[in-house]
Amino acid sequence: MSMIGGKWSFLVLGQLFNRGPHRFNQQKRSLGAVSTKSLTDILRHLESHGIIRRKVFPTVPVTVEYALTDKGADFQKVLLAMREWRQRWGEA
Protein backbone atom coordinates (compact mmCIF):
# COMPACT_ATOMS: atom_id res chain seq x y z
CA MET A 1 0.00 0.00 0.00
CA SER A 2 2.91 2.38 0.56
CA MET A 3 3.74 2.13 -3.16
CA ILE A 4 0.26 3.26 -4.14
CA GLY A 5 0.11 6.17 -1.70
CA GLY A 6 -2.82 8.37 -0.73
CA LYS A 7 -6.51 8.55 -1.42
CA TRP A 8 -6.18 10.18 -4.85
CA SER A 9 -3.80 7.52 -6.17
CA PHE A 10 -6.59 5.02 -6.80
CA LEU A 11 -8.54 7.63 -8.75
CA VAL A 12 -5.49 8.62 -10.81
CA LEU A 13 -4.81 4.96 -11.61
CA GLY A 14 -8.47 4.40 -12.44
CA GLN A 15 -8.37 7.26 -14.96
CA LEU A 16 -5.26 5.83 -16.59
CA PHE A 17 -6.79 2.33 -16.71
CA ASN A 18 -10.04 3.52 -18.25
CA ARG A 19 -8.92 6.30 -20.55
CA GLY A 20 -5.28 5.62 -21.32
CA PRO A 21 -2.46 8.18 -21.19
CA HIS A 22 -3.38 11.61 -19.83
CA ARG A 23 -1.76 15.00 -19.66
CA PHE A 24 -1.60 16.75 -16.31
CA ASN A 25 -4.53 19.11 -16.92
CA GLN A 26 -6.68 16.28 -18.29
CA GLN A 27 -6.07 14.37 -15.04
CA LYS A 28 -6.86 17.45 -12.96
CA ARG A 29 -10.14 18.12 -14.79
CA SER A 30 -11.14 14.45 -14.53
CA LEU A 31 -10.58 14.37 -10.78
CA GLY A 32 -12.18 17.71 -10.00
CA ALA A 33 -11.45 18.52 -6.37
CA VAL A 34 -7.78 17.53 -6.25
CA SER A 35 -5.33 20.41 -5.79
CA THR A 36 -2.46 20.98 -8.20
CA LYS A 37 0.07 20.26 -5.46
CA SER A 38 -1.62 17.01 -4.44
CA LEU A 39 -1.85 15.78 -8.02
CA THR A 40 1.79 16.67 -8.64
CA ASP A 41 2.84 14.81 -5.48
CA ILE A 42 0.76 11.76 -6.40
CA LEU A 43 2.13 11.60 -9.94
CA ARG A 44 5.71 11.95 -8.69
CA HIS A 45 5.14 9.27 -6.06
CA LEU A 46 3.64 6.81 -8.56
CA GLU A 47 6.44 7.54 -11.03
CA SER A 48 9.14 7.00 -8.39
CA HIS A 49 7.70 3.53 -7.71
CA GLY A 50 7.58 2.61 -11.39
CA ILE A 51 3.77 2.48 -11.56
CA ILE A 52 3.40 5.26 -14.13
CA ARG A 53 5.78 6.77 -16.65
CA ARG A 54 6.17 10.43 -17.49
CA LYS A 55 6.85 11.33 -21.11
CA VAL A 56 7.90 14.86 -22.03
CA PHE A 57 7.20 16.17 -25.54
CA PRO A 58 9.42 19.01 -26.81
CA THR A 59 6.66 21.46 -27.63
CA VAL A 60 6.05 25.07 -26.62
CA PRO A 61 4.81 24.99 -23.95
CA VAL A 62 6.19 21.61 -22.91
CA THR A 63 3.63 18.79 -23.01
CA VAL A 64 3.88 16.04 -20.39
CA GLU A 65 1.89 12.82 -20.62
CA TYR A 66 1.42 10.18 -17.94
CA ALA A 67 0.75 6.52 -18.70
CA LEU A 68 0.81 3.20 -16.89
CA THR A 69 3.90 1.03 -16.93
CA ASP A 70 3.56 -2.75 -17.11
CA LYS A 71 3.83 -2.79 -13.32
CA GLY A 72 1.00 -0.25 -13.06
CA ALA A 73 -1.20 -2.07 -15.58
CA ASP A 74 -0.80 -5.27 -13.58
CA PHE A 75 -2.27 -3.46 -10.55
CA GLN A 76 -5.59 -3.31 -12.40
CA LYS A 77 -6.22 -6.89 -11.26
CA VAL A 78 -6.12 -5.71 -7.66
CA LEU A 79 -8.57 -2.87 -8.33
CA LEU A 80 -10.97 -5.19 -10.14
CA ALA A 81 -10.87 -7.63 -7.22
CA MET A 82 -11.61 -4.76 -4.81
CA ARG A 83 -14.56 -3.66 -6.96
CA GLU A 84 -15.97 -7.19 -7.01
CA TRP A 85 -15.63 -7.39 -3.24
CA ARG A 86 -17.45 -4.06 -2.83
CA GLN A 87 -20.25 -5.18 -5.16
CA ARG A 88 -20.66 -8.36 -3.19
CA TRP A 89 -20.29 -7.05 0.36
CA GLY A 90 -20.68 -3.27 0.18
CA GLU A 91 -23.67 -1.44 1.52
CA ALA A 92 -26.61 -1.09 -0.86
Side-chain angles (χ1 to χ4, degrees):
M1 288 304 291
S2 66
M3 268 200 282
I4 300 304
K7 67 179 183 178
W8 291 104
S9 296
F10 287 100
L11 297 174
V12 168
L13 290 172
Q15 291 294 319
L16 293 173
F17 289 138
N18 295 327
R19 299 195 177 130
H22 267 64
R23 293 186 310 233
F24 183 88
N25 284 330
Q26 288 175 306
Q27 277 284 3
K28 189 160 177 14
R29 279 191 301 271
S30 298
L31 297 173
V34 67
S35 71
T36 300
K37 182 187 179 327
S38 293
L39 182 56
T40 300
D41 291 346
I42 291 160
L43 292 170
R44 285 182 183 160
H45 178 79
L46 293 173
E47 182 184 15
S48 73
H49 287 287
I51 296 169
I52 63 171
R53 68 172 166 75
R54 180 179 186 263
K55 185 174 181 181
V56 179
F57 296 93
T59 58
V60 178
V62 174
T63 301
V64 179
E65 183 178 83
Y66 296 92
L68 294 170
T69 61
D70 290 339
K71 181 179 181 179
D74 200 37
F75 188 71
Q76 186 173 17
K77 296 173 191 171
V78 175
L79 290 178
L80 291 173
M82 290 171 68
R83 185 176 71 183
E84 288 174 17
W85 182 86
R86 181 183 51 91
Q87 287 173 343
R88 185 174 207 189
W89 299 103
E91 294 181 29

Tab-separated table of all heavy atoms in Angstrom, residues 2 11 14 19 23 27 31 37 39 41 43 51 58 60 64 68-69 71-72 74-75 82-84:
chain	number	residue	atom	x	y	z
A	2	SER	N	2.070	1.184	0.560
A	2	SER	CA	2.913	2.382	0.564
A	2	SER	C	3.341	2.767	-0.845
A	2	SER	O	3.610	3.937	-1.113
A	2	SER	CB	4.140	2.169	1.453
A	2	SER	OG	4.975	1.177	0.907
A	11	LEU	N	-7.778	6.918	-7.717
A	11	LEU	CA	-8.539	7.626	-8.748
A	11	LEU	C	-7.670	7.953	-9.964
A	11	LEU	O	-8.115	7.843	-11.097
A	11	LEU	CB	-9.159	8.890	-8.166
A	11	LEU	CG	-10.183	8.645	-7.050
A	11	LEU	CD1	-10.624	9.965	-6.436
A	11	LEU	CD2	-11.364	7.876	-7.572
A	14	GLY	N	-7.212	4.741	-11.777
A	14	GLY	CA	-8.470	4.401	-12.445
A	14	GLY	C	-8.636	5.166	-13.747
A	14	GLY	O	-9.056	4.606	-14.763
A	19	ARG	N	-9.014	5.353	-19.431
A	19	ARG	CA	-8.924	6.299	-20.548
A	19	ARG	C	-7.556	6.377	-21.201
A	19	ARG	O	-7.359	7.173	-22.103
A	19	ARG	CB	-9.341	7.681	-20.070
A	19	ARG	CG	-10.780	7.675	-19.581
A	19	ARG	CD	-11.322	9.061	-19.437
A	19	ARG	NE	-12.712	8.977	-19.031
A	19	ARG	CZ	-13.214	9.648	-18.028
A	19	ARG	NH1	-12.476	10.462	-17.345
A	19	ARG	NH2	-14.495	9.522	-17.728
A	23	ARG	N	-2.605	13.864	-20.028
A	23	ARG	CA	-1.756	14.996	-19.664
A	23	ARG	C	-2.198	15.477	-18.283
A	23	ARG	O	-3.263	15.119	-17.790
A	23	ARG	CB	-1.885	16.096	-20.701
A	23	ARG	CG	-1.307	15.679	-22.047
A	23	ARG	CD	-1.299	16.819	-23.012
A	23	ARG	NE	-2.610	17.461	-23.068
A	23	ARG	CZ	-3.294	17.672	-24.173
A	23	ARG	NH1	-2.811	17.314	-25.327
A	23	ARG	NH2	-4.470	18.265	-24.123
A	27	GLN	N	-5.902	15.079	-16.322
A	27	GLN	CA	-6.074	14.374	-15.043
A	27	GLN	C	-6.767	15.286	-14.037
A	27	GLN	O	-7.687	14.879	-13.351
A	27	GLN	CB	-4.713	13.949	-14.462
A	27	GLN	CG	-4.173	12.690	-15.014
A	27	GLN	CD	-4.863	11.466	-14.445
A	27	GLN	OE1	-5.805	11.526	-13.658
A	27	GLN	NE2	-4.392	10.320	-14.864
A	31	LEU	N	-10.462	14.627	-12.214
A	31	LEU	CA	-10.584	14.365	-10.783
A	31	LEU	C	-11.343	15.456	-10.042
A	31	LEU	O	-11.861	15.218	-8.960
A	31	LEU	CB	-9.194	14.178	-10.170
A	31	LEU	CG	-8.424	12.978	-10.716
A	31	LEU	CD1	-7.003	12.983	-10.185
A	31	LEU	CD2	-9.135	11.687	-10.385
A	37	LYS	N	-1.031	20.807	-6.250
A	37	LYS	CA	0.075	20.260	-5.455
A	37	LYS	C	-0.139	18.784	-5.152
A	37	LYS	O	0.780	17.975	-5.282
A	37	LYS	CB	0.249	21.043	-4.156
A	37	LYS	CG	1.426	20.537	-3.329
A	37	LYS	CD	1.488	21.194	-1.982
A	37	LYS	CE	2.623	20.733	-1.098
A	37	LYS	NZ	3.047	19.385	-1.188
A	39	LEU	N	-1.972	16.572	-6.797
A	39	LEU	CA	-1.849	15.779	-8.018
A	39	LEU	C	-0.390	15.643	-8.425
A	39	LEU	O	0.063	14.554	-8.792
A	39	LEU	CB	-2.678	16.388	-9.143
A	39	LEU	CG	-2.672	15.610	-10.458
A	39	LEU	CD1	-3.133	14.167	-10.264
A	39	LEU	CD2	-3.551	16.305	-11.489
A	41	ASP	N	2.217	15.726	-6.439
A	41	ASP	CA	2.836	14.810	-5.481
A	41	ASP	C	2.472	13.365	-5.784
A	41	ASP	O	3.324	12.474	-5.716
A	41	ASP	CB	2.430	15.161	-4.046
A	41	ASP	CG	3.020	16.475	-3.566
A	41	ASP	OD1	3.957	17.000	-4.219
A	41	ASP	OD2	2.533	16.994	-2.541
A	43	LEU	N	1.492	12.032	-8.700
A	43	LEU	CA	2.126	11.598	-9.944
A	43	LEU	C	3.610	11.325	-9.734
A	43	LEU	O	4.140	10.322	-10.228
A	43	LEU	CB	1.898	12.629	-11.039
A	43	LEU	CG	0.448	12.764	-11.515
A	43	LEU	CD1	0.290	13.985	-12.415
A	43	LEU	CD2	-0.027	11.502	-12.220
A	51	ILE	N	5.154	2.839	-11.263
A	51	ILE	CA	3.772	2.483	-11.560
A	51	ILE	C	3.268	3.245	-12.785
A	51	ILE	O	2.476	2.724	-13.563
A	51	ILE	CB	2.887	2.714	-10.322
A	51	ILE	CG1	3.347	1.751	-9.214
A	51	ILE	CG2	1.413	2.508	-10.644
A	51	ILE	CD1	2.763	2.011	-7.867
A	58	PRO	N	8.749	17.714	-26.626
A	58	PRO	CA	9.418	19.006	-26.809
A	58	PRO	C	8.567	19.995	-27.614
A	58	PRO	O	8.839	20.283	-28.773
A	58	PRO	CB	10.701	18.631	-27.550
A	58	PRO	CG	10.335	17.407	-28.324
A	58	PRO	CD	9.326	16.674	-27.465
A	60	VAL	N	6.119	23.800	-27.347
A	60	VAL	CA	6.052	25.071	-26.618
A	60	VAL	C	4.590	25.393	-26.386
A	60	VAL	O	3.859	25.594	-27.348
A	60	VAL	CB	6.733	26.209	-27.416
A	60	VAL	CG1	6.616	27.528	-26.670
A	60	VAL	CG2	8.183	25.865	-27.678
A	64	VAL	N	3.493	17.212	-21.171
A	64	VAL	CA	3.878	16.043	-20.386
A	64	VAL	C	2.688	15.108	-20.336
A	64	VAL	O	1.567	15.524	-20.064
A	64	VAL	CB	4.304	16.437	-18.949
A	64	VAL	CG1	4.669	15.217	-18.142
A	64	VAL	CG2	5.455	17.421	-18.988
A	68	LEU	N	0.467	4.338	-17.748
A	68	LEU	CA	0.809	3.204	-16.893
A	68	LEU	C	2.015	2.453	-17.443
A	68	LEU	O	2.166	2.312	-18.660
A	68	LEU	CB	-0.368	2.235	-16.812
A	68	LEU	CG	-1.617	2.750	-16.117
A	68	LEU	CD1	-2.763	1.778	-16.327
A	68	LEU	CD2	-1.356	2.951	-14.640
A	69	THR	N	2.844	1.961	-16.555
A	69	THR	CA	3.899	1.034	-16.930
A	69	THR	C	3.290	-0.376	-16.874
A	69	THR	O	2.125	-0.548	-16.481
A	69	THR	CB	5.070	1.107	-15.940
A	69	THR	OG1	4.590	0.751	-14.634
A	69	THR	CG2	5.691	2.496	-15.905
A	71	LYS	N	4.061	-2.580	-14.759
A	71	LYS	CA	3.828	-2.788	-13.316
A	71	LYS	C	2.504	-2.146	-12.899
A	71	LYS	O	1.720	-2.740	-12.154
A	71	LYS	CB	4.987	-2.181	-12.534
A	71	LYS	CG	4.914	-2.336	-11.042
A	71	LYS	CD	6.154	-1.697	-10.422
A	71	LYS	CE	6.195	-1.824	-8.931
A	71	LYS	NZ	7.412	-1.210	-8.371
A	72	GLY	N	2.236	-0.952	-13.391
A	72	GLY	CA	0.998	-0.254	-13.063
A	72	GLY	C	-0.213	-0.928	-13.666
A	72	GLY	O	-1.263	-1.045	-13.036
A	74	ASP	N	-0.556	-4.027	-14.307
A	74	ASP	CA	-0.797	-5.268	-13.581
A	74	ASP	C	-1.605	-5.023	-12.302
A	74	ASP	O	-2.311	-5.904	-11.831
A	74	ASP	CB	0.535	-5.937	-13.253
A	74	ASP	CG	0.402	-7.412	-12.953
A	74	ASP	OD1	-0.439	-8.075	-13.605
A	74	ASP	OD2	1.126	-7.903	-12.074
A	75	PHE	N	-1.520	-3.810	-11.761
A	75	PHE	CA	-2.268	-3.464	-10.553
A	75	PHE	C	-3.772	-3.423	-10.810
A	75	PHE	O	-4.569	-3.502	-9.882
A	75	PHE	CB	-1.785	-2.120	-10.000
A	75	PHE	CG	-2.367	-1.778	-8.658
A	75	PHE	CD1	-1.987	-2.472	-7.518
A	75	PHE	CD2	-3.298	-0.772	-8.529
A	75	PHE	CE1	-2.529	-2.169	-6.283
A	75	PHE	CE2	-3.850	-0.455	-7.299
A	75	PHE	CZ	-3.456	-1.160	-6.177
A	82	MET	N	-11.024	-5.616	-5.846
A	82	MET	CA	-11.611	-4.759	-4.814
A	82	MET	C	-13.025	-4.338	-5.211
A	82	MET	O	-13.924	-4.297	-4.368
A	82	MET	CB	-10.732	-3.527	-4.588
A	82	MET	CG	-9.423	-3.849	-3.906
A	82	MET	SD	-8.280	-2.462	-3.852
A	82	MET	CE	-9.107	-1.356	-2.740
A	83	ARG	N	-13.228	-4.038	-6.488
A	83	ARG	CA	-14.560	-3.656	-6.961
A	83	ARG	C	-15.539	-4.819	-6.815
A	83	ARG	O	-16.677	-4.629	-6.366
A	83	ARG	CB	-14.507	-3.191	-8.410
A	83	ARG	CG	-15.867	-2.675	-8.893
A	83	ARG	CD	-15.815	-2.118	-10.265
A	83	ARG	NE	-15.644	-3.226	-11.209
A	83	ARG	CZ	-15.501	-3.082	-12.508
A	83	ARG	NH1	-15.464	-1.900	-13.036
A	83	ARG	NH2	-15.372	-4.127	-13.284
A	84	GLU	N	-15.102	-6.018	-7.172
A	84	GLU	CA	-15.965	-7.192	-7.012
A	84	GLU	C	-16.334	-7.406	-5.554
A	84	GLU	O	-17.473	-7.727	-5.235
A	84	GLU	CB	-15.271	-8.433	-7.571
A	84	GLU	CG	-15.184	-8.452	-9.075
A	84	GLU	CD	-14.372	-9.629	-9.596
A	84	GLU	OE1	-14.148	-10.601	-8.836
A	84	GLU	OE2	-13.953	-9.566	-10.757
